[in-house]
Amino acid sequence: MGYPPLEDIVQVKYSISYYEGNKLRVLPKGESEAMWLGRPGIPKGLKAGLLKLKAGENGTWDCNPEGGFEREVELVDGGEKFKIPAKSKLHFDVDLEKVTLGAASN
């Protein structure tokens, strides 16, 4: 089938883990959400892994620092605020629920 265009929208549930010094910080999987793959700010490493999955599949993978967030990201986990530094090595745990091909291309 080849790679779907980056205009596609995926319905995913995912967890991102990152290193804070020597400690691996694991964020729990959040609610299922729709994600437009062409949107700026999505880590390259997340997009690359999603393109290898089919709807209904799940997967885990790491990305190198160049595949991480382009800039620092501020998140809240269990009421606690924290920041994922730019260009951090990340680990993803993803359930790809649905792919809507070409949904954002108008």
Side-chain angles (χ1 to χ4, degrees), residues 3-56:
Y3 293 128
L6 288 181
E7 293 83 25
D8 295 345
I9 292 178
V10 294
Q11 189 77 28
V12 294
K13 188 182 285 190
Y14 64 94
S15 171
I16 297 176
S17 306
Y18 69 99
Y19 284 93
E20 201 171 50
N22 289 332
K23 179 183 172 194
L24 181 64
R25 176 143 190 166
V26 180
L27 307 179
K29 282 188 184 170
E31 297 296 314
S32 178
E33 68 177 79
M35 181 184 297
W36 173 48
L37 293 181
R39 186 188 76 172
I42 296 175
K44 292 177 196 172
L46 179 56
K47 284 183 198 177
L50 283 172
L51 293 174
K52 295 176 184 175
L53 295 178
K54 293 182 176 117

Side-chain angles (χ1 to χ4, degrees), residues 2 5 21 27 40 55 64 72 97:
L27 307 179
N64 59 28
E72 183 177 81
E97 298 168 343

